[in-house]
């Protein structure tokens, strides 16, 4: 027979196809849910059995019946690696008997037969020692219940069934779900502030090391470097993507490979492997982790082009085709043909070895360039193997593409995903998008990483924008999402677009070396530092799924809260989305949901200005200048200890 | 490798687990949809291959790209039985080349290489005859396009690619979905008006035959009989469910079995098999189909009780337990233990043989009593076999139980389901419920059958209700759902509840014989006749998924439309949900969706009163008395031919 006695369905967490592991990070509370039911009215019980890679046996967590056939448990795996879990359900004949007995007794009916049946159940399930005690207690309870003519079900502790059930599990009709998988990553896969910069603009790895203390001081967790490999000379691009590079033009770092080497070499202008190792070590000392770029494409001078011309696309005349997305042309880049007529396995292996090379050199975070132009089957094959062998690896998918493609890349194994946040501006857009990425099934397997800018994208309202616009977009990214990043120059409010209808930067750093005045007194570094400090101080800001939107009467002002369970930490953020005007609003806070008193004042401490407001009731008034468009408010009861654990 | 080159996912129609067939009826247009995508920017093409039970080969229907990686096709299987379908997708290199060429040409770039590539493609795909012609046409098109500097994509018919593609399909990267199944039922599984009545109240099958013309005249399609089998004497229930039956009390027809026989016998008070056959034949002559009750339970006198005591539940003292749901007790009924310690297979087989018996006697529609108290595994096993052998069988699940259980019964094979309509009264409740059953994935496999009353349920607002309330609930059931039913006496507005807090009828027909005055001049028969006639006349009322709610300014007035595709048939229904008061409302119709003119008057012909209103614009005013609470309006352009096909 196809079906078991008890139906167990709709098990979460899961990916859309259930063919890949869902995701969590070590220490994160994972809500396991399922629909569980059988025919008739017998009472069920259910548990999740789960185990991590080094567990010798299954752990067991009892599920709770939420009503309407929905069940849940919370597990908290702490080991990194692939976990398995199975939902089990069984008929609880003892509880069925107990409830039936109580209902019948409550209705004033004879229960002699039922008491006999109880005795038989105890015998069947081999609990003779407890037998008389339980029955005695049952009868006493039933006597009490005759005082309650309303015939409500007795609470579960009416008599001590739980203890007997646990000691002598009698799993009749035992039914099991399929085995589901959960990949537990290290916490950095969920929470991290990324800072992207070009070492060559700092004079190479040596100079880049000097930037590390300032980056660390702003509170970033990760420094991400665009490709550091040799850059091709053939068809090298000049400034602003021009076709004729001058001798002094450095070329795009994404045009990877020259006679110096390919993806496993370092551009000699940046330094050598000793410099690289030192950079990684100094970053680590400063509390920063280094992320590298993994861009599977080659300049015409890449060694692979000579060694493996069969790995590329060819024109009828036999020459290799450069990348093109008309009208855009990338003459300096050869895309790889991932499904060549011959040599596919060798090619895929070679691509994987690049990552392995850098992993062996100590790198564990990679930002993957355009993964949506490579086959899903390739990522499936590569990432599953990689993550089994190096479970602390984190790969971020740079797939600014169609939603189903983005989602599928997350499903097949990417730990994080760039998102549409970059283009979500209005209150409605942001609310809908955050609901999608944080509050639907998508959060089971796709982790967003919010970027207000990248070297390719100077998005509205940053194009020609005032510092207030940069603050606003930064705060949204950094507070809404536990992972976010900026591309350097953001703190200096670099805002000149390449053209009015183009998202690229003018004087794009991709094609030239930029020098910057990091000591600019108008730098947003102090603002960034405050927000990153709040991210570290507040556990509430280190979760994705806890975002809740609060009502704001003004459509240009967005308000959202984040709250932890347990020792409650509550942060309310209010942002003026209009970079041009001052806005006022009346909020309507769900105080109950926020764990705040309805009937006495509470404090809202602004972590940016270090000002404390005393509010009362659910509808405080807020006013935000476009120059200071953000309130990051720690909400707390008055008189709460404010130094520990959250100040 | 696990993944194919092209991802094909989220294929519909399907059931929640995809382990069972989705459902349609012969001739129904079935929308097949899927998410289809691959890496990069190459152009895809896709088709659904499908075949019915007697098809010698697969039929093929091309899918249309809806954008955002969603694809669809419509197929219209006409054969009854299990169909299979597979989605196939492939890379269309020719179209990829064509689009690329046009974009490049549009951007003013050289295309010599691309024209060479086109020639090679034609050669590769063996279309040499058409080669020169296509290239000539392509070049001519490109010349034309130089007049269009806006670089839009050329429409597909820019040159004659389709013809070549079809003649020479070049299915590169061919990827296939799993094989999905679709059970095609006969149309009666979707559309039917049911009329339930107790033959014994008409004096047996003989007398029941005399009722058939009147039932047929009201426009019903199905007469459904509660169990017609011998009724047990042991613990027989008296009137109003009392424990002490008088000698003259007939007992509940659901207490099946006596020394006369069990589920394959006919109660001698009703007649014999000759009478039964005549009843079926007369019904057929009147245009009615007979539905029987399939209630898997036994009276203490059922032959199985002696022959197979192991098929029942036992008390500690060895006696058999009667059915009980404290405080309710059914002393006259023994529930079957569907998972006995021995003899399960024999029991299940015996249960199946009951249905086979009546099927062989010409019955093809069964209303299944309380299927949710029998194992899903049983229904799975039984229905799949039954429907393979007797594909014209229709089984209706009487499962007034939790939503997931109802849904699962539909998934494992029930053709129709009783629903919560019975208790959905307000505009919001009805709108939400209809949205769930008609406009979500649920409609892929679960077909609702709406009942305003049953012999067990005299629901609000029928309890003590006025005729207007009976009209209102009837109209909602019959117009919202293609399948609906009433239990007889409804047309006489029988409205006396057993008690103020009980949904049962006073003098419930389950326990006694009722005589009725069918000639009552206040009977709702004329009203029912008009609505059933409209159901037959309007194809729009024979679909489930086409319901759309229209805005009504008054919360007590609901408005909904149904419209067919093709030769458009549009019906608007407006119902006063308040049985106590007159209500007026202003509607806001989506004229575009309804296919009606925005700028000229149109007609709304009331099919109940035969009155025609001339309306103009989207917001007509409507007023409904509680005594005549329904407008059933055929909307049509003025001057439309009104006799054919819809008057």
């Amino acid at each position: 027979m196809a079906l078991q006695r008890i139906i167990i369905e709709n098990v979460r967490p899961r990916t859309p196809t259930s063919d890949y592991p869902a995701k969590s990070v070590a220490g994160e509370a994972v809500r396991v849910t399922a629909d569980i039911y059988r025919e008739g009215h017998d009472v069920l019980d259910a548990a999740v059995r789960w185990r991590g890679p080094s567990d010798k046996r299954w752990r067991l967590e009892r599920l709770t019946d939420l009503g309407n056939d929905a069940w849940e448990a919370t597990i908290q795996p702490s080991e990194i690696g692939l976990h398995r879990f199975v939902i089990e359900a069984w008929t609880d004949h003892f509880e069925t008997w107990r409830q039936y007995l109580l209902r019948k007794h409550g209705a004033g009916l004879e229960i002699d037969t039922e008491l006999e049946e109880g005795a038989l159940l105890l015998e069947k399930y081999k609990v003779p020692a407890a037998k008389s005690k339980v029955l005695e207690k049952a009868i006493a309870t039933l006597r009490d219940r005759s005082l309650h003519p309303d015939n409500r079900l007795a609470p579960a502790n009416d008599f001590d069934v739980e203890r007997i059930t646990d000691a002598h599990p009698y799993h009749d009709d035992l039914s099991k779900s399929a085995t589901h998988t959960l990949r537990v990553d290290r916490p950095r896969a969920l929470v991290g502030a990324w800072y992207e910069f070009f070492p060559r603009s700092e004079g190479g790895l040596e100079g880049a090391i000097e930037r590390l203390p300032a980056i660390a001081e702003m509170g970033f967790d990760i420094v991400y470097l665009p490709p550091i490999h040799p850059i091709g000379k053939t068809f090298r691009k000049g400034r602003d993507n021009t076709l004729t590079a001058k001798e002094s033009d450095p070329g795009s770092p994404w045009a990877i490979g020259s006679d110096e080497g390919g993806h496993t070499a370092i551009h000699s202008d940046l330094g050598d492997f000793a410099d690289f190792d030192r950079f990684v070590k100094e970053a680590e000392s400063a509390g920063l982790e280094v992320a590298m770029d993994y861009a599977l494409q080659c300049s015409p001078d890449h060694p692979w082009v000579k060694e493996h011309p069969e790995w590329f696309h060819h024109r009828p005349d036999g020459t290799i085709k450069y990348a093109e997305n008309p009208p855009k042309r990338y003459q300096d880049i050869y895309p790889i043909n991932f499904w060549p007529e011959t040599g596919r396995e060798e090619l895929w292996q070679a691509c994987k070895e690049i990552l392995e090379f850098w992993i062996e050199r100590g790198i564990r975070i990679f930002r993957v360039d355009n993964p949506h132009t490579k086959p899903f089957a390739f990522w499936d094959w590569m990432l599953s193997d990689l993550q089994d062998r190096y479970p602390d690896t984190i790969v971020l998918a740079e797939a600014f593409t169609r939603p189903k493609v983005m989602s599928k890349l997350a499903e097949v194994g990417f730990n994080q995903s760039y998102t549409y946040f970059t283009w979500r501006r209005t209150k409605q857009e942001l609310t809908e998008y955050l609901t999608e990425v944080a509050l639907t099934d998508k959060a089971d397997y796709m982790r967003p990483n919010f970027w207000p800018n990248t070297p390719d994208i100077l998005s509205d309202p940053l194009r020609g924008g005032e510092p207030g616009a940069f603050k606003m977009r930064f705060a949204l990214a950094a507070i809404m999402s536990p992972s976010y990043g900026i591309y350097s120059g953001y703190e200096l409010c670099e805002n000149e677009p390449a053209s009015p209808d183009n998202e690229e930067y003018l004087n794009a750093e991709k094609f030239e070396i930029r020098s910057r005045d990091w000591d600019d007194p108008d730098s947003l570094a102090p603002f960034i530092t405050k927000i990153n400090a709040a991210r570290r101080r507040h556990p509430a800001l280190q979760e994705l799924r806890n975002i809740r939107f609060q009502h704001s009467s003004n459509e240009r002002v967005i308000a959202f809260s984040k709250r932890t369970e347990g020792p409650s930490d509550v942060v309310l953020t209010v942002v003026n989305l209009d970079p041009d005007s001052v806005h006022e609003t009346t909020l309507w806070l769900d105080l109950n949901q926020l764990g705040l008193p309805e009937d006495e004042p509470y404090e809202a401490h602004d972590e940016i200005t270090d000002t404390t407001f005393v509010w009362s009731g659910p509808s405080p008034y807020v006013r935000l200048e476009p120059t200071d468009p953000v309130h990051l408010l720690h909400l707390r009861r008055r008189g709460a200890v404010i130094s520990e654990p959250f100040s």
Side-chain angles (χ1 to χ4, degrees), chain A residues 456-477:
Chain A
D456 302 315
I457 309 172
L458 177 65
S459 69
D460 266 334
L462 306 179
R463 295 159 55 78
E466 295 293 321
F470 281 76
K471 285 182 178 176
M472 180 260 282
R473 294 294 298 173
F474 179 87
L476 291 172

Side-chain angles (χ1 to χ4, degrees), chain A residues 122-139:
Chain A
L122 291 170
E123 218 165 283
K124 179 175 173 193
Y125 298 118
K126 299 192 173 51
V127 280
K131 173 179 165 180
S132 59
K133 189 183 153 213
V134 166
L135 278 180
E136 262 170 45
K137 209 165 173 189
I139 290 159

Side-chain angles (χ1 to χ4, degrees), chain A residues 514-530:
Chain A
R514 291 190 73 144
S515 73
R516 297 179 169 99
D517 175 13
W518 297 118
D519 299 324
D520 184 337
D522 294 330
S523 165
L524 298 186
F527 177 82
I528 290 170
T529 305
K530 282 184 178 164

Side-chain angles (χ1 to χ4, degrees), chain A residues 468-511:
Chain A
F470 281 76
K471 285 182 178 176
M472 180 260 282
R473 294 294 298 173
F474 179 87
L476 291 172
I479 307 173
M480 286 181 149
S481 174
S483 283
Y484 83 98
I486 56 167
Y487 151 58
S488 70
Y490 192 98
E491 64 269 50
L492 303 179
C493 304
E494 292 174 358
N495 66 2
E496 284 181 276
S499 78
D501 58 355
N502 185 322
E503 286 194 321
E504 296 273 347
Y505 278 89
L506 184 68
N507 306 323
E509 199 170 0
K510 290 184 287 184
F511 305 110

Side-chain angles (χ1 to χ4, degrees), chain A residues 319-338:
Chain A
T319 58
I320 295 179
K321 287 173 111 167
Y322 55 77
E324 204 169 4
N325 189 12
K328 289 191 192 170
R329 296 196 287 176
Y330 307 90
Q331 293 89 341
D332 55 339
I333 290 172
Y334 286 169
I336 292 169
N337 177 3
F338 277 84

Side-chain angles (χ1 to χ4, degrees), chain A residues 310 313 336-342 344 347-348 375-378:
Chain A
E310 74 277 13
H313 297 278
I336 292 169
N337 177 3
F338 277 84
W339 230 298
E341 298 200 356
T342 62
R344 184 185 60 73
L347 164 66
W348 289 20
F376 293 102
F378 167 72

